[in-house]
Amino acid sequence: MKTILLYLILCLCSLPRASWGQDSRPNIVLILVDDLGFSDIEPYGGTDFHTPNLAALAKEGTRFQEFYNNSICAPTRASLLTGQYAHRAGVGYFNVNLGLPAYQGFLNRESRTLAEVLKEAGYSTIISGKWHVGDDFDQWPAQRGFERSFNFVGGASNFYEINGPERPTVPLYRNNKPFYLPKGRYLTDEITDQAIGFLKEQQSEKKPFFLYLAFNAPHWPLQAPEEETQKYKGVYRQGWDSLRVKRYENAQRAGVFPSGQTIAKKDAAVQSWEKLTYDEKQYWQRRQQVFAGMIDRMDQSVGRIRKTLKELKKDKNTLIIFLSDNGAQGGDRARIYTARNTETVGLPGSYDVQNSNWSQTGNSPLRSYKDNPYEGGIGAPFIVWYPKEVKANAIKKGVGHLIDIAPTLYDFAGADYPTHIGDATINALPGLSLRAVLRSDLNQVDRNVPLFWERAGNRAVRYGKWKLVSLFREGSKPELYNIDEDRGENNNLADRYPEIVNDLEKRYEKWAKENAVVDYNRLKTNNQFR
């Protein structure tokens, strides 16, 4: 009898948790947006935008002052989806194969995705939006753990279909099959509708879900429904010089940038607004109106997702995380894709990109842009909402990183992270769960090791209050900043504290060796991928 009872207990324990009865674990919605600057939404100082749904998430949840990404699309997504540093996951440079395992351009099998781990733990797994971590069929979302998938594969996409189904401008896939975006349909809306449809399908499964909602907004091309663009008519007549200062002041008042710290120095390459002609001002205002319209429509989509959760009676047990993959896009006006432009910026036939002038405002009060290891490149908004456990209207220093997302979600989901799959050894998770910070009075992650970055030869190390920056350019020297006192990175302290520079450089070399990071000079690259 004892043997039979023991056998029954073991059988019960081996069943998925959902089969025991009501599964009380939280549903998870992970929202990633593309090329959104630090202050490009209301909760982080961008009061020129209308983002009431994100403002509500922030008021009812917790924001971090300091949350880090990998400065550019594909490496960020690799870390987010696997919990690994990008090189360890196989995407150390971009979604291009440079001939080394750490730079193969797609997720390796030793790095398990969020979808693979959560599916094994009894979750339904869903993606809607941008992928960008594997171009070949066997590397797509449906092959990496997502049971329901709607996505485009690459790094950028038009927001409108202008060619037709025979030669689509927007190659989309639904559950691995080609999907045609109807003419006039806005891609942000379609990404949202597909996610909502999947959530309604999943309702019958009686188990928790994981939704990865990966918007391409507000990544170029600058395109938005005209009704959204017109909402912002006249809003940007003040120009980028004064607005970046206003954003800085707003961020301080909101508590997401430390009081008493100084805004990053103005980018000398950005022309003064007051030196523009009347026509130039009109042109640049229109571009920022479109950018604002893209963010506005994305925020509306967040509201629609929340409304659906309420209709499905899942709103009270859903964890929502919102973040950006990198800072706002830098560059100058020469980057406009004039050959593709057949209409005014914002319309379906346009193909304009964001530039340093408005992006300096977007990243205010932080320094620099996307694809750089300064705070404006790797710093992002980070909002977590889960009223059952996460503190409301809280702002914390945080010092979180992408590598912390996976252990955090596995903590909330009660998911076991594997050490082996068959004969393969699975990469251990280097990050930490943020759950204790989110649910308690702790102000930041208690981490006893540094955080590291490397992208196209640009490097950074963050350890305690210190941050080391080393740029890949001739004649550059290591730079050292005290982020606790100078998050604007205005005061280089490298000459004053050479011993700290040496210590952080040694730590970087050790990390680089452990993660198969190589000297960028060894990599044969094409400049189009920078």
Side-chain angles (χ1 to χ4, degrees):
M1 181 64 69
K2 290 181 179 180
T3 302
I4 294 173
L5 182 60
L6 179 60
Y7 175 76
L8 291 173
I9 292 173
L10 290 173
C11 288
L12 180 62
C13 290
S14 68
L15 292 172
R17 189 176 306 201
S19 64
W20 299 1
Q22 184 64 37
D23 195 327
S24 62
R25 295 177 297 168
N27 305 297
I28 298 166
V29 178
L30 178 59
I31 305 173
L32 183 68
V33 293
D34 206 334
D35 286 10
L36 184 87
F38 181 81
S39 62
D40 272 337
I41 54 174
E42 285 183 71
Y44 279 78
T47 56
D48 44 294
F49 296 113
H50 185 58
T51 54
N53 295 293
L54 291 175
L57 279 181
K59 185 176 181 180
E60 299 164 12
T62 292
R63 281 169 281 176
F64 278 11
Q65 292 177 332
E66 299 176 19
F67 187 87
Y68 290 112
N69 52 57
N70 289 338
S71 89
I72 198 166
C73 303
T76 280
R77 289 157 205 276
S79 288
L80 179 66
L81 284 164
T82 66
Q84 304 296 329
Y85 280 110
H87 303 78
R88 181 61 66 93
V91 192
Y93 180 71
F94 215 52
N95 67 321
V96 289
N97 194 336
L98 301 182
L100 294 171
Y103 302 88
Q104 66 184 23
F106 60 91
L107 300 179
N108 57 43
R109 295 291 169 177
E110 296 75 33
S111 301
R112 304 299 282 172
T113 69
L114 293 171
E116 288 168 330
V117 175
L118 291 173
K119 179 182 176 182
E120 186 67 24
Y123 273 69
S124 300
T125 54
I126 304 166
I127 178 176
S128 190
K130 175 175 173 176
W131 182 236
H132 205 201
V133 283
D135 295 349
D136 294 342
F137 181 79
D138 65 344
Q139 302 156 8
W140 290 5
Q143 283 66 261
R144 294 309 307 260
F146 286 97
E147 298 166 310
R148 294 176 173 88
S149 59
F150 175 77
N151 62 282
F152 61 94
V153 176
S157 176
N158 252 46
F159 287 80
Y160 294 98
E161 181 57 69
I162 59 175
N163 283 342
E166 301 303 320
R167 189 169 53 89
T169 318
V170 188
L172 297 167
Y173 301 90
R174 190 181 192 277
N175 297 329
N176 279 346
K177 296 179 180 179
F179 179 94
Y180 174 62
L181 185 68
K183 188 172 182 179
R185 180 70 167 155
Y186 191 57
L187 184 54
T188 298
D189 295 340
E190 189 63 41
I191 289 171
T192 308
D193 281 353
Q194 291 288 336
I196 289 172
F198 285 147
L199 290 176
K200 290 180 178 178
E201 284 181 14
Q202 188 274 340
Q203 178 80 339
S204 64
E205 295 181 0
K206 306 301 181 184
K207 60 181 179 179
F209 66 79
F210 164 57
L211 168 61
Y212 175 42
L213 187 60
F215 291 111
N216 57 326
H219 190 288
W220 52 264
L222 297 178
Q223 297 171 338
E226 190 62 18
E227 63 266 28
E228 306 299 348
T229 300
Q230 289 303 317
K231 284 183 184 179
Y232 296 90
K233 189 173 180 63
V235 170
Y236 296 105
R237 65 167 60 97
Q238 65 188 294
W240 46 67
D241 293 325
S242 59
L243 184 56
R244 69 181 290 266
V245 176
K246 183 177 180 181
R247 293 264 194 100
Y248 155 63
E249 294 169 347
N250 290 343
Q252 286 194 315
R253 278 193 292 269
V256 293
F257 189 76
S259 178
Q261 288 202 27
T262 304
I263 186 175
K265 294 174 183 176
K266 185 179 182 298
D267 184 349
V270 173
Q271 187 176 6
S272 170
W273 179 261
E274 293 308 317
K275 291 184 178 180
L276 300 180
T277 67
Y278 173 81
D279 287 343
E280 286 174 327
K281 288 180 179 179
Q282 298 305 304
Y283 169 76
W284 287 108
Q285 284 182 66
R286 166 77 186 185
R287 288 170 64 96
Q288 185 66 3
Q289 284 177 238
V290 174
F291 186 74
M294 297 170 77
I295 293 172
D296 193 315
R297 197 62 157 238
M298 175 274 296
D299 179 84
Q300 293 175 45
S301 292
V302 172
R304 292 177 58 213
I305 294 292
R306 293 194 68 186
K307 181 181 178 183
T308 300
L309 293 174
K310 189 171 184 178
E311 290 170 352
L312 298 177
K313 295 181 170 49
K314 294 189 174 181
D315 55 314
K316 298 186 185 304
N317 193 36
T318 297
L319 167 70
I320 301 176
I321 295 178
F322 175 90
L323 70 160
S324 178
D325 65 346
N326 43 250
Q329 170 82 60
D332 59 30
R333 189 170 175 175
R335 295 190 59 172
I336 297 174
Y337 292 85
T338 53
R340 299 192 190 186
N341 270 334
T342 60
E343 291 187 279
T344 300
V345 58
L347 301 183
S350 65
Y351 209 88
D352 293 270
V353 303
Q354 194 73 331
N355 286 266
S356 296
N357 42 32
W358 283 119
S359 289
Q360 184 179 222
T361 295
N363 290 332
S364 180
L366 309 181
R367 177 179 177 179
S368 196
Y369 313 98
K370 170 183 177 179
D371 202 17
N372 279 281
Y374 293 110
E375 296 289 286
I378 61 176
F382 183 70
I383 304 171
V384 183
W385 181 92
Y386 184 43
K388 275 191 173 182
E389 193 168 316
V390 173
K391 287 184 171 290
N393 202 25
I395 297 173
K396 303 196 174 190
K397 184 178 180 182
V399 199
H401 188 282
L402 294 163
I403 59 173
D404 300 326
I405 297 292
T408 300
L409 297 187
Y410 300 155
D411 191 353
F412 276 104
D416 294 325
Y417 183 76
T419 57
H420 292 82
I421 299 292
D423 294 332
T425 300
I426 302 304
N427 293 327
L429 295 172
L432 299 171
S433 173
L434 304 174
R435 191 175 185 181
V437 175
L438 293 168
R439 71 190 301 186
S440 72
D441 291 329
L442 291 174
N443 190 44
Q444 68 183 74
V445 180
D446 184 12
R447 198 187 313 268
N448 61 5
V449 294
L451 294 170
F452 301 93
W453 293 265
E454 192 279 337
R455 154 68 190 165
N458 292 326
R459 308 179 304 177
V461 182
R462 173 72 192 271
Y463 192 30
K465 67 182 181 180
W466 296 110
K467 182 182 174 190
L468 183 73
V469 175
S470 300
L471 300 182
F472 183 77
R473 65 187 182 198
E474 188 175 353
S476 67
K477 296 180 179 181
E479 303 168 23
L480 182 69
Y481 300 98
N482 180 343
I483 299 299
D484 284 359
E485 298 177 3
D486 177 30
R487 199 176 181 207
E489 294 171 302
N490 294 306
N491 303 306
N492 179 6
L493 304 174
D495 290 341
R496 190 184 304 180
Y497 300 105
E499 70 284 0
I500 295 175
V501 171
N502 291 336
D503 176 66
L504 295 181
E505 286 185 323
K506 289 179 181 177
R507 292 177 185 271
Y508 173 84
E509 293 302 329
K510 181 176 182 292
W511 170 83
K513 185 176 181 180
E514 293 171 348
N515 287 272
V517 180
V518 301
D519 185 338
Y520 185 59
N521 286 305
R522 289 177 54 194
L523 299 176
K524 304 298 183 183
T525 63
N526 186 322
N527 285 335
Q528 68 174 308
F529 298 118
R530 278 196 55 91

